[in-house]
Amino acid sequence: MFEIKGLSVNYGGIEAVRDISFTVEEGTIVTLIGANGAGKSTTLRTIAGLVKPRTGSISFMGENITGKDPSYIVGKGITLVPEGRKIFPDLTVMENLRIGAYLRSDSIEDDLEMVFSLFPRLRERSWQYGGTLSGGEQQMLAVGRALMSRPKLMMMDEPSLGLAPLIVRDIFSIIRRIKEEGVTILLVEQNANMALQVADMAYVMETGRITLSGPGNELIKDEAVKKAYLGK
Amino acid sequence: MNREKRNHLIRLFVAIAAVYLAVIILEMTLRPTSILFTVLRKGAIYSLVAVSMNLLNGFTGLFSLGQAGFMLLGAYTYAIFTIPADVKASDRVYRYYDCIIGFDTGALAGLIAAGLVAALFAFLIGLPVLRLKSDYLAIATLGFAEIIRAIFQWDVLGPVTNGANLLREYKDLSRITLPFTDIPFPPTLFVFIVAGISILLIVLLINSSYGRAFKAIRDDETAAEAMGINLFRHKELAFVISSFFAGVSGALLAAFQYTVQAQQFESMMTYEILLIVVIGGIGSISGSCIASFLYIALSEWWLRGLDMGKFLGIAAPDLFRSGFRKLVFSVIIMIIVLFFSRGIMGDKELSYARFISWIKGFGKKKKKGAAA
């Protein structure tokens, strides 16, 4: 469904991503794990069209989307939940969700209902300003906002960042539920343990390269991964 | 929720109708030379330009300082379009040049043309300038306004702009008539209607999905882009629309003043408007309106005595002389900025509920004070 071939990205003068290739199968959860500065976020930002790649190709559902504008890519059904949530603090929860559906011209009532059933907390707070929500609620809002564009592929950049362990568990169970709704998920995480548990397929990135890959439940047992990322 | 919304709309409508009714009654009863009319007209004109600036600075997060330049474009367009053709041909206005614009239009066409010319310039300038951010954008737009002011006084453009000389005898407020008749239009009401409709259009825009996108860009550009909002296109749209209404307000200002000269539209004017926006609250439409009427009333009326030797019944010609008003005015502004750091309204709008709770809060504070 989604394929990256030989992608290299320069970011602020540094070669942040070097010749990586991977595929994402429809209806699966794929995760990219790795340390700070490994190039995971840059990869996602490039797919979303926020950064232009130097070389390589990105294709989605058979179409080459390399170097296209973000609005085009969102319109094609790829959406990004940015790192650090980046909700709109001075818009209400409802307005945040409506912005998520900005490119759509059809009725969004069903999708609002779907988001509110996933996150009942957001319904209670729909009139509140985004900036007044707690960290966990903001993450829910960021996910809900992304779902409003009715994505086929949802990319999440460190959804567990800065959240309490219990809330992280909630977020991951929601990721599973979103997958059951038929959305393919590409997940970037530093919390390798959680990420590998939910992932169907996992790639390990180091200094801009993919060094290891395999199904999540196999990598979680891999000695090298254990040593480097799981702290065991 | 829906009922509340409807009640809110009804109250809003009643309040606006009351304002217009008051304007009509005042115009029928008071002397036309009353200072109150000056304050009302200029206040309404500044409300419009402040709201248009707020659309950029408060709602889209673009720090632009070109407002005076767009007002100048509007004022000149309006004046040049509405000077009667025979006046243009004579030496009464264009004494040193032969005017090359041989036609004239009515006031309404002049107003719309004023907006369109300002919008066109905004579109062209926006192409390079809107790729800049924050302070750089402010400097570029400020520079544009200064350049425009200089160009309009340039000799070579004399056949159009009359060089550095005054433009007059156009459709100022005393010459505007009801459509298809010779009956003069009540001048204050005219200003209020034009400014009111323009502000209403801006409010509708802000509450539309475009308005939401503007606010999203203001809050977080990256996230807005990731949602599929085309940053440049939306910034350009906000810039062009804001400039359109700045142009309209410039045209109104021209009509209000009876004469127009490029000299007047210096950067000080932009700062005045920026001050109004900040005092009213960045991101509050009603705040901008309230602040501009307050600002104009203070500077044109209430503090006048400070320049004239007598203020609040105190005669002190040594102290209260020319310029003292500005000093007191600056102190007032400092106090406002210190104690209302987010402006009078913050980023909220005036509403019945807020007004009632404010009154109640005021009563409570008083009671507490009495008990102590």
Side-chain angles (χ1 to χ4, degrees):
Chain A
M1 162 199 217
F2 177 85
E3 188 173 18
I4 283 186
K5 264 190 199 150
L7 186 77
S8 294
V9 188
N10 280 14
Y11 201 56
I14 320 160
E15 198 172 30
V17 174
R18 300 171 196 190
D19 191 27
I20 64 167
S21 303
F22 65 89
T23 54
V24 177
E25 296 300 326
E26 187 158 5
T28 59
I29 298 181
V30 173
T31 183
L32 291 176
I33 59 172
N36 274 334
K40 314 181 296 286
S41 295
T42 307
T43 307
L44 290 199
R45 291 172 61 87
T46 312
I47 298 168
L50 296 169
V51 183
K52 304 278 175 256
R54 191 166 60 82
T55 57
S57 73
I58 306 167
S59 67
F60 179 62
M61 322 234 342
E63 190 190 340
N64 186 0
I65 57 163
T66 322
K68 289 270 199 294
D69 284 331
S71 51
Y72 182 83
I73 289 169
V74 174
K76 281 285 153 199
I78 300 181
T79 184
L80 172 69
V81 182
E83 182 177 0
R85 305 182 273 277
K86 301 237 172 180
I87 52 127
F88 303 112
D90 292 327
L91 296 185
T92 63
V93 168
M94 188 57 110
E95 285 177 314
N96 265 283
L97 293 175
R98 283 183 186 279
I99 283 286
Y102 187 70
L103 289 177
R104 288 177 46 195
S105 47
D106 48 337
S107 165
I108 59 166
E109 294 308 316
D110 290 351
D111 302 82
L112 274 177
E113 203 44 50
M114 188 264 286
V115 169
F116 285 147
S117 71
L118 267 179
F119 307 107
R121 194 70 78 78
L122 293 185
R123 191 200 300 271
E124 292 163 27
R125 317 214 153 191
S126 60
W127 53 272
Q128 272 190 17
Y129 285 107
T132 65
L133 300 181
S134 72
E137 288 163 350
Q138 288 189 6
Q139 186 63 58
M140 292 174 191
L141 179 56
V143 174
R145 186 181 62 179
L147 285 173
M148 289 302 292
S149 69
R150 215 178 260 181
K152 298 186 185 86
L153 173 69
M154 185 156 97
M155 302 188 291
M156 305 176 84
D157 198 348
E158 301 212 18
S160 73
L161 190 76
L163 297 181
L166 267 179
I167 296 172
V168 172
R169 199 177 300 168
D170 285 351
I171 294 285
F172 273 92
S173 75
I174 280 158
I175 292 174
R176 279 205 194 89
R177 275 182 64 190
I178 293 170
K179 176 197 166 190
E180 282 159 19
E181 303 268 342
V183 180
T184 310
I185 290 168
L186 177 54
L187 178 69
V188 154
E189 259 302 343
Q190 293 212 37
N191 189 337
N193 192 17
M194 289 298 262
L196 289 175
Q197 279 178 32
V198 299
D200 298 298
M201 189 69 192
Y203 297 89
V204 180
M205 277 188 88
E206 265 171 62
T207 58
R209 288 197 178 84
I210 291 180
T211 51
L212 259 178
S213 64
N217 51 13
E218 278 180 24
L219 278 194
I220 209 166
K221 293 177 206 136
D222 186 282
E223 284 306 319
V225 172
K226 267 189 189 168
K227 218 173 177 183
Y229 303 106
L230 302 177
K232 283 171 196 163
Chain B
M1 182 68 198
N2 245 337
R3 211 178 130 167
E4 222 169 75
K5 226 177 191 171
R6 206 178 57 211
N7 277 343
H8 178 74
L9 278 178
I10 291 171
R11 280 197 202 105
L12 192 69
F13 183 75
V14 169
I16 291 171
V19 168
Y20 279 87
L21 200 65
V23 168
I24 294 171
I25 291 171
L26 283 173
E27 281 214 300
M28 289 194 323
T29 52
L30 284 182
R31 274 181 303 120
T33 51
S34 167
I35 180 79
L36 185 64
F37 289 128
T38 308
V39 170
L40 286 177
R41 289 170 199 169
K42 211 173 171 189
I45 295 167
Y46 270 67
S47 294
L48 173 55
V49 67
V51 169
S52 83
M53 192 176 200
N54 215 337
L55 172 66
L56 272 188
N57 292 351
F59 290 95
T60 321
L62 294 172
F63 188 36
S64 155
L65 294 177
Q67 235 58 7
F70 295 115
M71 284 178 86
L72 181 147
L73 285 167
Y76 264 78
T77 307
Y78 178 79
I80 294 168
F81 270 51
T82 61
I83 294 174
D86 56 310
V87 176
K88 278 178 191 152
S90 75
D91 268 352
R92 296 224 297 278
V93 178
Y94 287 85
R95 188 170 300 162
Y96 306 104
Y97 307 98
D98 293 321
C99 184
I100 52 165
I101 293 172
F103 64 92
D104 61 282
T105 67
L108 189 64
L111 282 172
I112 293 170
L116 289 178
V117 168
L120 175 72
F121 271 78
F123 174 77
L124 295 175
I125 291 151
L127 292 176
V129 158
L130 288 177
R131 306 197 182 267
L132 303 172
K133 283 195 176 145
S134 61
D135 309 1
Y136 301 100
L137 176 65
I139 292 165
T141 47
L142 191 67
F144 151 74
E146 290 295 303
I147 292 167
I148 281 284
R149 190 162 61 92
I151 288 179
F152 268 65
Q153 300 181 64
W154 188 23
D155 253 8
V156 175
L157 288 180
V160 179
T161 63
N162 203 15
N165 307 302
L166 285 176
L167 286 175
R168 55 201 161 74
E169 297 201 31
Y170 50 84
K171 284 228 175 351
D172 54 49
L173 287 182
S174 65
R175 291 173 217 248
I176 291 169
T177 53
L178 288 167
F180 311 115
T181 63
D182 282 338
I183 309 162
F185 206 110
T188 312
L189 186 64
F190 179 78
V191 173
F192 265 70
I193 287 175
V194 175
I197 290 174
S198 305
I199 292 174
L200 179 72
L201 290 175
I202 297 177
V203 170
L204 289 177
L205 175 76
I206 286 170
N207 288 324
S208 72
S209 67
Y210 282 110
R212 264 200 301 278
F214 293 162
K215 289 188 243 175
I217 291 172
R218 170 195 68 190
D219 276 9
D220 195 317
E221 282 198 4
T222 319
E225 202 178 7
M227 293 299 108
I229 295 169
N230 186 322
L231 290 185
F232 183 71
R233 220 172 44 214
H234 284 82
K235 284 180 179 179
E236 182 87 24
L237 187 70
F239 194 57
V240 165
I241 291 173
S242 162
S243 304
F244 178 90
F245 289 111
V248 171
S249 75
L252 282 178
L253 190 68
F256 162 79
Q257 294 182 149
Y258 301 90
T259 59
V260 166
Q261 203 173 10
Q263 196 76 56
Q264 164 199 4
F265 296 88
E266 31 183 27
S267 49
M268 194 57 219
M269 198 167 187
T270 302
Y271 297 138
E272 245 177 17
I273 301 158
L274 181 65
L275 193 67
I276 289 172
V277 172
V278 171
I279 290 175
I282 292 173
S284 169
I285 301 283
S286 45
S288 289
C289 295
I290 294 168
S292 69
F293 279 104
L294 272 179
Y295 181 89
I296 298 296
L298 278 174
S299 65
E300 300 278 327
W301 186 12
W302 295 336
L303 298 181
R304 272 281 163 194
L306 290 173
D307 278 4
M308 310 280 202
K310 199 172 174 189
F311 181 66
L312 293 174
I314 306 161
D318 295 339
L319 184 63
F320 296 162
R321 57 181 175 215
S322 279
F324 193 70
R325 177 174 58 117
K326 297 237 151 137
L327 195 134
V328 173
F329 201 66
S330 317
V331 173
I332 291 176
I333 288 164
M334 276 193 254
I335 290 171
I336 289 177
V337 172
L338 272 177
F339 293 99
F340 297 89
S341 56
R342 302 199 62 201
I344 300 170
M345 298 298 299
D347 56 1
K348 309 286 186 295
E349 295 298 340
L350 189 65
S351 70
Y352 177 73
R354 201 174 299 280
F355 187 67
I356 291 296
S357 73
W358 182 75
I359 297 269
K360 276 183 185 160
F362 197 67
K364 256 184 207 158
K365 254 188 221 161
K366 271 208 163 161
K367 264 183 215 156
K368 259 188 200 162

Coordinates of all heavy atoms in Angstrom, one line a residue, chain B residues 352-370:
Chain B
Y352 N -23.8 39.6 26.1 CA -24.7 39.9 27.2 C -24.3 39.2 28.5 O -24.2 39.8 29.5 CB -26.1 39.5 26.8 CG -27.2 39.7 27.8 CD1 -27.6 41.0 28.1 CD2 -27.7 38.6 28.5 CE1 -28.6 41.2 29.0 CE2 -28.7 38.8 29.4 CZ -29.2 40.1 29.7 OH -30.1 40.3 30.6
A353 N -24.0 37.9 28.4 CA -23.6 37.1 29.6 C -22.4 37.7 30.2 O -22.3 37.8 31.5 CB -23.4 35.7 29.2
R354 N -21.4 38.0 29.4 CA -20.2 38.6 30.0 C -20.4 39.9 30.6 O -19.9 40.2 31.7 CB -19.1 38.7 28.8 CG -17.7 38.8 29.3 CD -16.8 38.8 28.1 NE -16.9 37.6 27.3 CZ -16.3 36.5 27.6 NH1 -15.6 36.4 28.7 NH2 -16.5 35.4 26.9
F355 N -21.3 40.7 30.0 CA -21.6 42.0 30.5 C -22.3 41.9 31.9 O -21.9 42.6 32.8 CB -22.5 42.8 29.5 CG -22.8 44.2 29.9 CD1 -21.7 45.1 29.8 CD2 -24.0 44.6 30.3 CE1 -22.0 46.4 30.1 CE2 -24.3 45.9 30.6 CZ -23.2 46.9 30.5
I356 N -23.3 41.0 32.0 CA -24.0 40.8 33.2 C -23.0 40.3 34.3 O -23.0 40.8 35.4 CB -25.1 39.7 33.0 CG1 -26.2 40.3 32.1 CG2 -25.7 39.3 34.3 CD1 -26.9 41.5 32.7
S357 N -22.2 39.3 34.0 CA -21.3 38.8 35.0 C -20.3 39.9 35.5 O -19.9 39.9 36.6 CB -20.6 37.6 34.5 OG -19.6 37.9 33.6
W358 N -19.9 40.7 34.5 CA -19.0 41.8 34.8 C -19.7 42.8 35.8 O -19.1 43.2 36.8 CB -18.6 42.6 33.6 CG -17.6 43.7 33.8 CD1 -16.3 43.6 34.0 CD2 -17.9 45.1 33.7 NE1 -15.7 44.8 34.1 CE2 -16.7 45.7 34.0 CE3 -19.1 45.8 33.5 CZ2 -16.6 47.1 34.0 CZ3 -19.0 47.2 33.6 CH2 -17.7 47.9 33.8
I359 N -21.0 43.1 35.6 CA -21.7 44.0 36.4 C -21.8 43.4 37.8 O -21.6 44.0 38.9 CB -23.1 44.3 35.9 CG1 -23.1 45.0 34.5 CG2 -24.0 45.0 36.9 CD1 -23.1 46.5 34.6
K360 N -22.2 42.1 37.8 CA -22.3 41.4 39.1 C -21.0 41.4 39.9 O -20.9 41.7 41.1 CB -22.8 40.0 38.9 CG -24.3 39.9 38.7 CD -24.7 38.4 38.6 CE -26.1 38.3 38.3 NZ -26.5 37.0 37.7
G361 N -19.9 41.1 39.2 CA -18.6 41.0 39.8 C -18.2 42.4 40.4 O -17.7 42.5 41.5
F362 N -18.6 43.4 39.6 CA -18.3 44.8 40.1 C -19.1 45.1 41.4 O -18.5 45.6 42.3 CB -18.8 45.8 39.0 CG -18.2 47.1 39.1 CD1 -16.8 47.3 39.0 CD2 -19.0 48.2 39.4 CE1 -16.3 48.6 39.1 CE2 -18.4 49.5 39.6 CZ -17.1 49.6 39.4
G363 N -20.4 44.6 41.4 CA -21.2 44.8 42.6 C -20.6 44.1 43.8 O -20.5 44.7 44.9
K364 N -20.1 42.9 43.6 CA -19.6 42.1 44.7 C -18.3 42.7 45.2 O -18.1 42.8 46.5 CB -19.2 40.7 44.1 CG -20.1 39.6 44.5 CD -19.6 38.3 44.0 CE -20.8 37.3 43.8 NZ -20.5 36.3 42.9
K365 N -17.5 43.2 44.3 CA -16.3 43.9 44.8 C -16.6 45.0 45.7 O -16.0 45.3 46.7 CB -15.5 44.3 43.5 CG -14.3 43.5 43.2 CD -13.4 44.2 42.1 CE -13.0 43.1 41.1 NZ -12.6 43.7 39.9
K366 N -17.6 45.8 45.2 CA -18.0 47.0 46.0 C -18.5 46.5 47.4 O -18.1 47.1 48.4 CB -19.1 47.7 45.3 CG -18.6 48.7 44.3 CD -19.6 49.8 44.1 CE -19.0 51.0 43.5 NZ -20.0 51.9 42.9
K367 N -19.3 45.5 47.4 CA -19.8 45.0 48.7 C -18.7 44.6 49.6 O -18.7 44.9 50.8 CB -20.8 43.8 48.5 CG -22.2 44.3 48.4 CD -23.1 43.0 48.3 CE -24.3 43.4 47.4 NZ -24.8 42.2 46.7
K368 N -17.7 43.9 49.1 CA -16.6 43.4 49.9 C -15.9 44.6 50.4 O -15.5 44.7 51.6 CB -15.6 42.6 49.0 CG -15.7 41.1 49.2 CD -14.6 40.5 48.4 CE -15.0 39.0 48.2 NZ -14.2 38.4 47.1
G369 N -15.7 45.6 49.6 CA -15.0 46.8 50.0 C -15.8 47.5 51.2 O -15.2 47.9 52.2
A370 N -17.1 47.5 51.1 CA -17.9 48.1 52.1 C -17.8 47.4 53.4 O -17.7 47.9 54.5 CB -19.4 48.2 51.6

